[in-house]
Amino acid sequence: MESIEKEINRRRTFAIISHPDAGKTTLTEKFLLYGGAINLAGSVKGKATARHAVSDWMEIEKERGISVTSSVLQFEYEGFCINILDTPGHQDFSEDTYRTLMAADSAVMVIDASKGVEAQTRKLFKVCVMRKIPIFTFINKMDRDANDTFELLDEIEKELGIATCPVNWPIGSGKRFKGVYDRNNRCVITFSDTEKGTKEGETTVIPVEDEARLSQAIGEEAAGILSDEIELLDGASAEFDLQQVQAGELTPVFFGSALTNFGVEFFLKHFLEMTTTPLPRKADTGLVSPTENEFSAFVFKIQANMNKAHRDRIAFMRICSGKYEASMEVKHVQGGRVMRLSQPQQIMASERKILEEAYAGDIIGVFDPGIFSIGDTLCMPKEQFKYEGIPTFAPEHFARVRQMDTMKRKQFVKGITQIAQEGAIQIFQEFNIGMEEIIVGVVGVLQFDVLKYRLENEYNVEIKLEPLPYEHIRWIENKEIDLAKLTGTSDMKKIKDLKGNPLLLFINSWSIGMTLDRNKDLVLSEFGRD
Ligand code: G4P
């Protein structure tokens, strides 16, 4: 048991969140470089090759040259076993992006220093806040002209509502980027861009008290500005408090440049010190401890159609407690069955390998003959508990689905229901209208194409999608409310999900506030929970 505990305690499982192009992939590559998982930075993405080799199983991905899936990277660094969960971005942003955060114990938020907080970061950040997981900020691209540092921090605090505590502080940016000031050790680490990221460049560490050396290294003007800024900073910024960090109330902020590999290892080291070991997880029987309980896991993602001929799926599960061994029998609680997991795999960026063992904190993918649903629990045969469900996230794009051939009703209903069960889309109905009119909601528009493609290819059903103008959906928390008496805005539409839960659709965010104003007892939520 002791060695299991040791294995679990050296695990760190986190997701990287960012707006596309902020540098998430570049930063990940540099992490892997330190972990020795790759020899040369650049081989994670290699844009068209390595990344797609993993997930070119779906035609649509090949056609578009993007990855609809997300993967997990595992590597070792200084005794830690690190799991990085990739959150898909760009057009392939989907509910999976959100769900991935349900499997992480902390999040690293990458921000482009010249752009500040961007839309996608904001959305993902909300999920982290809901889970109260630690959030670490890496402000990237300091080798390019950046926004004012104080303004950047202010923006994070105001826009995201989290206190910030800079761990280091940049000296200039762009062509005048001289390095960072390490606040703990009161020294300056000078920037050097000689190695273009294949390894850390030559840097010098100068104590800030050594004024003569400092002025010589970064110039008198920069040294003067730094001295003023340090004074301001020490007076103004929040005190570092690890407890607050771990409760997700304070984000440590780091500045660097992933491309030139400056400040990346500094970040990694500090991050590993401050972040958390695998967290306990809520179940209907109470909190389940990663180290004190035997094997348990929950399914956070299902990926369909790995092999078109077989219509098979891969269920991704996060191990929450204990150790998993390949030969082990486990109980699928929702299915009420004891079973052996089939072909447990670790899905890596460049390869898939069959696993012999895995520990709390790790992610495994198993072959799923269609029995798992998102949020399902697995545990030891003698146990019986269910992990708290994964919320449903608000879609932002809606379309009415029309089926072209009415003779194929059955296949249509089966197909669309199955795809919805996998969590790729959400389906809704209008009140008093049956399954002949379905409204589909998605988080990223690409899912519409995926739906159309899959219905045609797997279920032989042709559909037409009519985009609807709604952008906001809210779950009605107090379900007992009399829907007929709701006085909404003219753009509001009442719908229900497959379980009959009432929801409201709006075109404008303004209307949500208006509707709440007009119906004082109405409680709305951005997340759906069963
Ligand atoms: P993402 O995964 O968050 O979408 O971003 P990614 O790492 O792919 O980076 C987006 C672009 O920003 C890339 O340039 C990358 O080289 C660049 N970049 C990342 N970090 C830094 C940095 O610290 N400094 C500077 N100056 N640039 C950075 P690209 O031209 O779009 O791609 P590529 O041709 O370099 O691969």
Side-chain angles (χ1 to χ4, degrees):
M1 197 66 198
E2 207 177 81
S3 73
I4 296 181
E5 202 173 321
K6 218 167 122 195
E7 278 298 329
I8 295 171
N9 284 335
R10 70 185 196 92
R11 274 163 166 75
R12 299 291 182 273
T13 303
F14 65 97
I16 307 192
I17 62 177
S18 74
H19 192 80
D21 280 340
K24 189 180 68 176
T25 313
T26 313
L27 186 68
T28 310
E29 281 163 8
K30 299 295 148 65
F31 285 163
L32 293 184
L33 192 64
Y34 287 111
I38 52 171
N39 304 322
L40 244 189
S43 52
V44 177
K45 203 176 198 176
K47 290 211 164 147
T49 52
R51 201 176 203 193
H52 297 138
V54 199
S55 52
D56 63 1
W57 45 268
M58 201 160 169
E59 283 301 317
I60 200 160
E61 290 188 338
K62 277 194 244 160
E63 278 163 23
R64 302 215 169 201
I66 50 163
S67 121
V68 183
T69 62
S70 60
S71 50
V72 184
L73 293 162
Q74 189 180 61
F75 68 96
E76 300 267 334
Y77 176 77
E78 296 201 336
F80 292 102
C81 176
I82 299 167
N83 293 305
I84 304 185
L85 306 178
D86 183 25
T87 51
H90 300 257
Q91 313 96 301
D92 48 348
F93 190 81
S94 71
E95 268 204 66
D96 276 347
T97 315
Y98 289 132
R99 287 191 198 112
T100 300
L101 290 173
M102 304 305 288
D105 296 313
S106 66
V108 168
M109 173 164 76
V110 184
I111 289 179
D112 181 332
S114 68
K115 304 241 172 80
V117 177
E118 295 177 87
Q120 200 155 298
T121 323
R122 215 172 284 136
K123 287 192 214 167
L124 291 167
F125 184 86
K126 275 192 192 166
V127 182
C128 299
V129 169
M130 176 187 78
R131 292 204 49 219
K132 298 188 171 65
I133 58 174
I135 299 162
F136 297 83
T137 306
F138 186 83
I139 301 193
N140 190 30
K141 303 199 186 180
M142 291 310 298
D143 61 310
R144 290 221 190 128
D145 287 339
N147 294 356
D148 177 80
T149 315
F150 285 104
E151 279 172 21
L152 274 169
L153 296 181
D154 219 39
E155 193 185 344
I156 295 173
E157 303 215 344
K158 288 213 179 89
E159 286 248 2
L160 305 177
I162 189 168
T164 58
C165 179
V167 179
N168 63 19
W169 189 259
I171 304 163
S173 69
K175 288 204 170 62
R176 290 192 306 271
F177 183 48
K178 303 284 185 208
V180 291
Y181 165 64
D182 171 352
R183 293 184 69 203
N184 274 336
N185 297 311
R186 297 189 57 78
C187 62
V188 165
I189 303 160
T190 60
F191 173 62
S192 128
D193 182 15
T194 51
E195 308 274 338
K196 266 292 174 216
T198 47
K199 65 180 207 261
E200 197 110 334
E202 290 269 314
T203 57
T204 323
V205 178
I206 307 166
V208 77
E209 277 76 30
D210 194 344
E211 287 173 19
R213 250 183 92 205
L214 193 60
S215 291
Q216 202 187 13
I218 66 171
E220 222 159 283
E221 195 192 343
I225 296 173
L226 176 65
S227 154
D228 291 348
E229 288 187 339
I230 292 175
E231 204 172 309
L232 247 174
L233 189 61
D234 289 347
S237 79
E239 284 270 321
F240 181 79
D241 177 342
L242 190 59
Q243 253 179 338
Q244 269 187 300
V245 172
Q246 297 201 337
E249 291 160 5
L250 176 71
T251 178
V253 181
F254 299 78
F255 293 83
S257 159
L259 185 68
T260 58
N261 203 359
F262 182 77
V264 175
E265 194 169 25
F266 182 94
F267 173 74
L268 186 60
K269 276 184 196 294
H270 283 78
F271 164 72
L272 289 170
E273 263 170 41
M274 295 178 198
T275 189
T276 161
T277 54
L279 292 170
R281 203 164 189 100
K282 258 193 217 154
D284 54 1
T285 48
L287 273 187
V288 176
S289 151
T291 48
E292 282 160 33
N293 290 73
E294 282 185 80
F295 168 80
S296 71
F298 78 97
V299 177
F300 68 96
K301 187 173 113 162
I302 290 171
Q303 201 166 74
N305 205 21
M306 300 291 267
N307 178 343
K308 203 173 145 198
H310 295 109
R311 200 186 287 173
D312 53 2
R313 325 198 284 192
I314 292 265
F316 286 81
M317 44 190 84
R318 147 89 197 219
I319 303 182
C320 300
S321 63
K323 178 184 181 183
Y324 171 75
E325 282 174 73
S327 56
M328 204 159 99
E329 283 203 316
V330 299
K331 185 199 267 177
H332 172 218
V333 179
Q334 276 77 359
R337 284 212 306 196
V338 171
M339 59 198 282
R340 278 202 176 83
L341 296 180
S342 183
Q343 299 174 22
Q345 312 172 12
Q346 196 171 36
I347 314 282
M348 305 283 287
S350 54
E351 63 182 295
R352 216 168 264 162
K353 66 175 193 220
I354 298 288
L355 272 178
E356 287 308 316
E357 56 181 46
Y359 297 87
D362 291 341
I363 310 294
I364 56 173
V366 305
F367 171 76
D368 170 21
I371 56 171
F372 295 119
S373 295
I374 302 232
D376 281 3
T377 301
L378 288 107
C379 60
M380 298 303 282
K382 62 182 182 212
E383 304 218 60
Q384 176 72 25
F385 62 82
K386 281 186 193 155
Y387 278 114
E388 199 180 48
I390 295 183
T392 315
F393 300 97
E396 288 174 29
H397 308 275
F398 299 87
R400 199 186 299 280
V401 189
R402 285 196 205 287
Q403 173 200 355
M404 303 308 280
D405 180 354
T406 43
M407 299 296 284
K408 292 183 180 164
R409 271 213 65 66
K410 254 179 137 174
Q411 285 106 298
F412 168 68
V413 172
K414 183 175 166 206
I416 202 158
T417 321
Q418 278 187 351
I419 295 170
Q421 261 164 10
E422 286 163 18
I425 55 161
Q426 291 179 45
I427 49 182
F428 308 101
Q429 283 170 279
E430 297 199 32
F431 283 95
N432 309 323
I433 297 183
M435 285 295 268
E436 58 269 19
E437 285 246 338
I438 288 180
I439 294 175
V440 174
V442 296
V443 166
V445 280
L446 178 71
Q447 297 305 322
F448 283 141
D449 296 344
V450 172
L451 171 68
K452 199 165 170 358
Y453 178 90
R454 288 193 55 194
L455 281 174
E456 273 168 29
N457 283 273
E458 294 172 36
Y459 300 91
N460 201 15
V461 175
E462 223 179 302
I463 56 158
K464 200 166 164 233
L465 287 159
E466 272 171 36
L468 294 170
Y470 305 100
E471 286 183 14
H472 307 275
I473 191 165
R474 291 292 180 271
W475 278 263
I476 298 179
E477 292 269 291
N478 44 341
K479 292 178 194 164
E480 66 287 354
I481 202 162
D482 185 354
L483 279 184
K485 289 200 182 130
L486 270 189
T487 41
T489 47
S490 57
D491 68 332
M492 188 186 88
K493 187 177 185 62
K494 299 171 195 169
I495 53 166
K496 60 181 180 180
D497 64 17
L498 287 189
K499 291 180 187 139
N501 294 318
L503 298 102
L504 298 176
L505 284 177
F506 298 93
I507 297 177
N508 304 307
S509 60
W510 175 85
S511 309
I512 303 172
M514 197 64 188
T515 303
L516 283 170
D517 263 359
R518 288 181 182 163
N519 303 274
K520 292 292 178 210
D521 48 349
L522 180 67
V523 186
L524 298 179
S525 162
E526 271 185 74
F527 303 109
R529 289 177 198 278
D530 284 335

